[in-house]
Amino acid sequence: QMWEEAIALGKELAEQYENEMFDYEQLSELLRKQAQFYENIVKVIRPKPDYFAVGYYGQGFPTFIRNKVFIYRGKEYERREDFEARLLTQFPNAEKMKTTSPPGDDIKTSSGQYIQCFTVKPKLDLPSKFHRPVSEQIVSFYRVNEVQRFEYSRPVRKGEKNPDNEFANMWIERTIYVTAYKLPGILRWFEVKSVFMVEISPLENAIETMQLTNDKINNMVQQHLNDPNLPINPLSMLLNGIVDPAVMGGFANYEKAFFTEKYMHEHPEDHDKIEKLKDLIAWQIPFLAEGIRIHGEKVTEALRPFHERMEACFRQLKDKVEKQYGARAILSSLDDRRGSRPRSMVRSFTMPSSSRPLSVASVSSLSSDSTPSRPGSDGFVLEPLLPKKMHSRSQDKLDKDDLDKDKKEKKKEKRNSKHQEIFDKEFKSTDISLQQAEAVILSETISPLRPQRPKSQVLNVMSSERRFSVSPAPPSAQLTPPPVTPRAKLAFGIQPNLELNGMSSSENPDVPPPLPLKGSTADYGNLLESQDLISPTTSPPAHQR
């Protein structure tokens, strides 16, 4: 489950596949694996193994481990007792030491075997690429991996014992162990190369404890925000142990030990540290508030009295802390976790009197505050469908009236979507006329829901003037009035200079295509039966808007 290491190796392989071997199949498979590794890092909870310091003292051990200390990486969920039992099976004659302090020379020079084992805490060493705060799920890997420094803290009392407050003289003796290599490596254990010791004052210990507590609350809150299905019991125990003073005593012990006039008079150099401790106490309140809010949303009815008591204790604690140390507030990150809407999308608007989309509005490049990216435009481009065949004058007029009526109803229709409201508002404010070709870009859209008409019935459309492009007919043809025909039968004719689908008919204007054999007088519909049937039939002029 060391996916971070697998990703690093995968990047090396990807460089070979892409630039040296040009094996794109292997590259695609490798990139899919890397994507899965990144997803596992964020979503999968990995167990954190413990690390143990083991000292082999006495002349009875082999020379490569005699009087040396090693740091071992335990197995998943392995306790110290289980690890000691596994270790002692290798040296059944060894004696286990009861203390954690370094042994004397008498034990080191004795002929026996003495094993000292205790748990150490790995010290986080983040890589340099993490120059800004990142998710705890990402950082948690480096808390127990790629570590080379380990520490063991042992409490030491100095001065007179204070029965009322044990924190006043509680010093920490911290031993730092540095291994030869980072763990885990090719082995699960490495030799300790250097050891040094530092002492932590009671005030510094209090600051560290408060910082760790705040981090623990914040991390658990983030885990519950990321995964609502987590159990509530660990959160309940953590919050109750901090909020209820009857359990742990809270930070009241720090106030009694360090926030007194006597301590500040005796230790004037600790003024900055005391202010830092006060600030940490004040920052604990917003973290607790967020944790209690999540606890209230997930608590069961059986634990409702427990939650109400915890809320009452928190209100008292909050009033006290804000009165003494001030109020702190954290910005909610819930908005950052919500999925942001896409910056571009395509909507299909349907006219009220039609069952199919008549136009497509493209919403693009909208900024975060819903303002258009181009001046004088709201990002919408209308693309209405254009007529694809020549009707008679009456049919064309009816279709035009219906289309205009539908467009007026569409402009007045209320839209629930925010983009549609912007669209409607922009059209009302600017009063853009459909006759202005400069404001509306027209294009022809063919819907797949309806079969296309024959090319002989489709006219080329001039987008700049929004009218049909019809070449003038000969003077003799213009003088002839169009025949009045029933609406059920449409008369289609071909003018000599009419452009069909961008192709001019002037190549052979005098010879029209021959007509099929006539079986009866009804075969040609309403075509004029003149004396010369092969002459071009005059059709009604195109309707001019």
Side-chain angles (χ1 to χ4, degrees):
Q1 291 186 339
M2 300 184 66
W3 300 305
E4 287 81 356
E5 304 296 337
I7 290 173
L9 296 177
K11 290 180 179 179
E12 296 183 18
L13 282 175
E15 179 70 20
Q16 295 293 319
Y17 289 145
E18 183 177 6
N19 299 323
E20 299 292 339
M21 301 173 61
F22 303 100
D23 191 343
Y24 288 173
E25 291 185 2
Q26 292 287 344
L27 178 62
S28 63
E29 182 180 357
L30 179 63
L31 294 179
R32 281 192 293 268
K33 288 182 179 181
Q34 287 190 16
Q36 185 62 43
F37 293 157
Y38 280 112
E39 185 177 357
N40 292 344
I41 290 174
V42 178
K43 294 184 178 180
V44 178
I45 298 178
R46 291 174 279 188
K48 297 180 181 180
D50 291 332
Y51 285 88
F52 308 101
V54 179
Y56 300 94
Y57 301 105
Q59 300 298 319
F61 288 108
T63 55
F64 71 94
I65 62 173
R66 183 184 303 166
N67 295 330
K68 293 181 180 179
V69 180
F70 297 85
I71 301 294
Y72 281 78
R73 177 185 171 99
K75 297 181 179 179
E76 295 179 357
Y77 305 108
E78 186 177 28
R79 299 179 302 171
R80 183 174 58 87
E81 293 79 5
D82 300 331
F83 175 77
E84 288 179 349
R86 183 161 59 94
L87 192 64
L88 291 175
T89 55
Q90 302 177 12
F91 304 98
N93 298 326
E95 181 181 351
K96 177 185 172 183
M97 298 180 61
K98 304 296 183 182
T99 63
T100 58
S101 57
D105 294 338
D106 55 341
I107 294 181
K108 292 182 179 180
T109 57
S110 65
S111 59
Q113 294 179 345
Y114 298 91
I115 291 180
Q116 185 183 56
C117 180
F118 51 90
T119 305
V120 293
K121 180 181 178 182
K123 194 171 181 61
L124 174 64
D125 185 15
L126 274 177
S128 58
K129 64 180 180 180
F130 297 110
H131 56 275
R132 57 180 298 271
V134 294
S135 172
E136 174 62 24
Q137 192 70 9
I138 300 175
V139 177
S140 62
F141 171 81
Y142 298 96
R143 296 188 185 277
V144 292
N145 295 281
E146 297 187 9
V147 287
Q148 197 173 0
R149 295 161 59 91
F150 304 85
E151 59 184 31
Y152 174 74
S153 300
R154 187 166 60 94
V156 177
R157 296 193 181 276
K158 293 184 178 181
E160 298 180 358
K161 183 178 181 180
N162 188 356
D164 297 332
N165 194 338
E166 60 181 3
F167 293 94
N169 55 2
M170 178 72 71
W171 288 71
I172 300 297
E173 185 180 271
R174 181 165 296 167
T175 306
I176 308 298
Y177 301 92
V178 181
T179 57
Y181 306 98
K182 290 185 177 181
L183 280 170
I186 193 173
L187 299 175
R188 297 182 66 93
W189 54 284
F190 286 121
E191 182 183 356
V192 174
K193 289 299 183 181
S194 62
V195 181
F196 59 94
M197 185 182 301
V198 294
E199 285 189 344
I200 307 298
S201 66
L203 181 57
E204 292 173 346
N205 182 33
I207 293 174
E208 285 187 4
T209 304
M210 285 299 302
Q211 185 66 55
L212 291 175
T213 304
N214 291 353
D215 292 343
K216 191 174 182 180
I217 300 172
N218 188 30
N219 294 338
M220 189 164 291
V221 166
Q222 298 301 325
Q223 290 177 8
H224 279 271
L225 289 176
N226 294 332
D227 187 3
N229 298 323
L230 288 178
I232 197 177
N233 294 338
L235 181 63
S236 302
M237 297 174 59
L238 177 63
L239 295 177
N240 189 50
I242 299 172
V243 171
D244 194 352
V247 179
M248 295 290 291
F251 50 80
N253 294 323
Y254 300 150
E255 295 176 341
K256 296 177 182 178
F258 311 115
F259 297 168
T260 60
E261 294 292 339
K262 179 181 178 182
Y263 184 86
M264 298 180 68
H265 180 71
E266 294 177 354
H267 304 84
E269 70 279 1
D270 292 343
H271 180 267
D272 294 339
K273 297 178 181 179
I274 291 177
E275 293 300 324
K276 184 177 181 180
L277 181 59
K278 291 180 180 180
D279 186 64
L280 291 173
I281 293 174
W283 273 110
Q284 193 177 79
I285 298 301
F287 296 143
L288 289 174
E290 185 68 13
I292 290 178
R293 183 191 66 80
I294 296 175
H295 189 271
E297 294 176 355
K298 302 176 67 173
V299 71
T300 60
E301 291 299 326
L303 294 176
R304 181 63 61 179
F306 167 76
H307 177 74
E308 292 176 353
R309 168 175 170 74
M310 192 163 57
E311 279 187 331
C313 295
F314 173 71
R315 283 193 294 268
Q316 297 177 3
L317 183 66
K318 181 180 178 181
D319 295 339
K320 174 186 175 183
V321 171
E322 291 183 352
K323 182 178 179 180
Q324 294 183 0
Y325 311 118
R328 305 290 189 275
I330 55 176
L331 296 178
S332 177
S333 58
L334 294 179
D335 294 338
D336 298 338
R337 291 181 174 81
R338 295 195 186 103
S340 59
R341 66 185 180 188
R343 298 181 63 86
S344 63
M345 56 186 177
V346 176
R347 294 180 180 273
S348 179
F349 295 111
T350 304
M351 301 294 266
S353 60
S354 176
S355 60
R356 64 180 181 85
L358 294 183
S359 64
V360 176
S362 175
V363 186
S364 62
S365 300
L366 290 179
S367 58
S368 59
D369 54 352
S370 300
T371 58
S373 59
R374 295 183 299 172
S377 172
D378 59 351
F380 287 83
V381 177
L382 270 181
E383 298 178 359
L385 291 180
L386 296 174
K388 292 179 175 57
K389 67 177 181 179
M390 181 186 292
H391 299 277
S392 65
R393 182 183 299 273
S394 59
Q395 178 65 28
D396 195 17
K397 186 175 186 304
L398 288 175
D399 292 344
K400 176 179 179 300
D401 294 340
D402 292 341
L403 185 60
D404 292 341
K405 182 178 179 181
D406 292 340
K407 289 180 179 179
K408 291 179 181 179
E409 292 176 358
K410 180 180 177 182
K411 288 168 63 177
K412 296 179 181 180
E413 186 178 1
K414 298 295 183 181
R415 300 292 186 183
N416 294 328
S417 173
K418 187 173 182 180
H419 301 294
Q420 295 169 356
E421 291 176 0
I422 298 175
F423 171 78
D424 192 46
K425 180 179 179 182
E426 181 71 16
F427 263 65
K428 287 183 180 180
S429 61
T430 56
D431 195 17
I432 298 177
S433 175
L434 292 178
Q435 302 298 332
Q436 299 178 358
E438 293 79 11
V440 180
I441 301 174
L442 298 181
S443 64
E444 183 171 325
T445 305
I446 299 176
S447 174
L449 301 179
R450 184 174 61 183
Q452 298 185 9
R453 297 183 179 87
K455 292 185 177 181
S456 62
Q457 301 179 12
V458 182
L459 298 180
N460 188 23
V461 181
M462 296 294 292
S463 61
S464 62
E465 299 181 1
R466 301 182 59 121
R467 60 185 63 186
F468 298 121
S469 174
V470 181
S471 301
S476 60
Q478 293 179 357
L479 296 177
T480 305
V484 180
T485 58
R487 183 175 179 178
K489 298 180 179 180
L490 300 181
F492 297 97
I494 303 177
Q495 296 185 6
N497 298 330
L498 188 63
E499 293 180 1
L500 297 180
N501 296 331
M503 300 294 294
S504 175
S505 62
S506 61
E507 297 176 358
N508 195 1
D510 297 330
V511 182
L515 294 175
L517 295 178
K518 180 177 178 182
S520 62
T521 57
D523 287 348
Y524 293 116
N526 292 312
L527 293 175
L528 293 177
E529 298 181 2
S530 60
Q531 293 180 358
D532 190 4
L533 289 176
I534 61 174
S535 62
T537 304
T538 305
S539 62
H543 177 66
Q544 303 291 334
R545 286 196 296 175

